[in-house]
Structures are given as C-alpha cells and as structure tokens.
Amino acid sequence: MRQQFLYGSLLLLAASVPIGILEPRLLYAWVVLGPLLLLGFYDYFQKRRTILANFPLVGRGRYWMEMLRPKIYQYFVESDINGSPFNRVQRSVVYQRAKRDLDTTRSGRSSMSTPSATSGWRIPSPRCRRRKSTRRRA
C-alpha cells in the first residue's frame, strides 16, 4: 500500500500538468487533492506510527474509527440500562440536573405514553357537573 500511494501520487502529479494545460478548470481539483497528498506524504515519511507509514491516508481511517467507536457503541449497540461507568438513564439525570431541569420521571410510564384524544382514555368533558348529594349532613 505504501508503494501504491507513492506511485499513484507521482502519477497524479505528472498527469495533472498536461491535463491542466488542456483544461484549466480541472486544476481546481487540487484544492481538495493538494491537502490530501500533503497529508499522505506526511504519513508516508513519519516514523512514530507504523500504520500511518505503511498505509498513508487509509491508516487515518483506522484511527478515526477508533475515535468514533465509543460513540457508535453507545448510541447503536448498548441499551439504556447497560453501560459503564454510567448507563444512559443515569447520564440523562446528570444532564437534566446540570441544566437545572426536572430530574425525576414518573414511575411506570415512558415519555411517549401521554393521554390523547384518540387513545381511548376517559377525559372529563367540560359539560360534566358534580351531582349534589342528597344525603343530609348531621
């Protein structure tokens, strides 16, 4: 992969000169390709990380995915009650307290189970009135 990057980038540099002479608008592609090639050559010649040295530009994808792994795992893999050191439910309580919001939730209900007109729950009509008691108070 290392040699492929070197030969591919040198071929791209050599081919861009005659193509740029024939069609100057294609030179605008270097706005994107230039920084990518510079980053690739930096990876190619650096000595600290062998993955970046052996796989220029592609090795950065590995580090990027390694950085995103906890977020992907948190939002797509684990449930609301699994997680370490705090699960999602505990974390949401902390966030609510930090915003000085109400940090308590109703027991036995989710936030989506609220009464509506079509849910079939009994909602008192404004026309309903209490009956007067016929009992006498002593």
Side-chain angles (χ1 to χ4, degrees):
M1 189 74 174
R2 185 175 163 93
Q3 297 302 320
Q4 291 171 348
F5 171 77
L6 182 64
Y7 294 140
S9 60
L10 291 176
L11 180 67
L12 184 65
L13 283 170
S16 67
V17 173
I19 292 175
I21 292 172
L22 294 175
E23 187 61 48
R25 288 182 293 170
L26 290 179
L27 291 177
Y28 287 115
W30 280 102
V31 172
V32 175
L33 294 176
L36 282 176
L37 280 178
L38 288 175
L39 187 65
F41 278 116
Y42 175 77
D43 291 346
Y44 187 86
F45 290 112
Q46 60 88 29
K47 301 290 182 195
R48 285 181 53 199
R49 298 179 177 161
T50 57
I51 289 184
L52 291 180
N54 291 331
F55 303 100
L57 292 179
V58 177
R60 291 202 177 258
R62 177 196 183 260
Y63 290 115
W64 187 64
M65 292 303 285
E66 192 175 279
M67 180 187 69
L68 289 178
R69 181 188 177 276
K71 294 171 180 59
I72 291 171
Y73 189 82
Q74 173 187 352
Y75 289 108
F76 297 116
V77 177
E78 73 182 20
S79 70
D80 287 343
I81 56 174
N82 295 337
S84 64
F86 300 105
N87 59 37
R88 185 175 291 216
V89 174
Q90 292 169 333
R91 206 170 30 245
S92 70
V93 168
V94 171
Y95 293 156
Q96 286 171 342
R97 287 180 181 170
K99 290 189 283 186
R100 296 180 189 256
D101 247 353
L102 184 64
D103 64 338
T104 56
T105 57
R106 293 178 277 172
S107 176
R109 285 189 170 179
S110 69
S111 61
M112 297 300 291
S113 63
T114 56
S116 67
T118 61
S119 65
W121 292 3
R122 289 190 167 187
I123 300 174
S125 168
R127 298 174 69 192
C128 291
R129 296 184 184 162
R130 281 190 168 171
R131 289 186 182 177
K132 292 187 178 180
S133 179
T134 56
R135 292 187 193 175
R136 291 188 182 174
R137 293 187 183 175

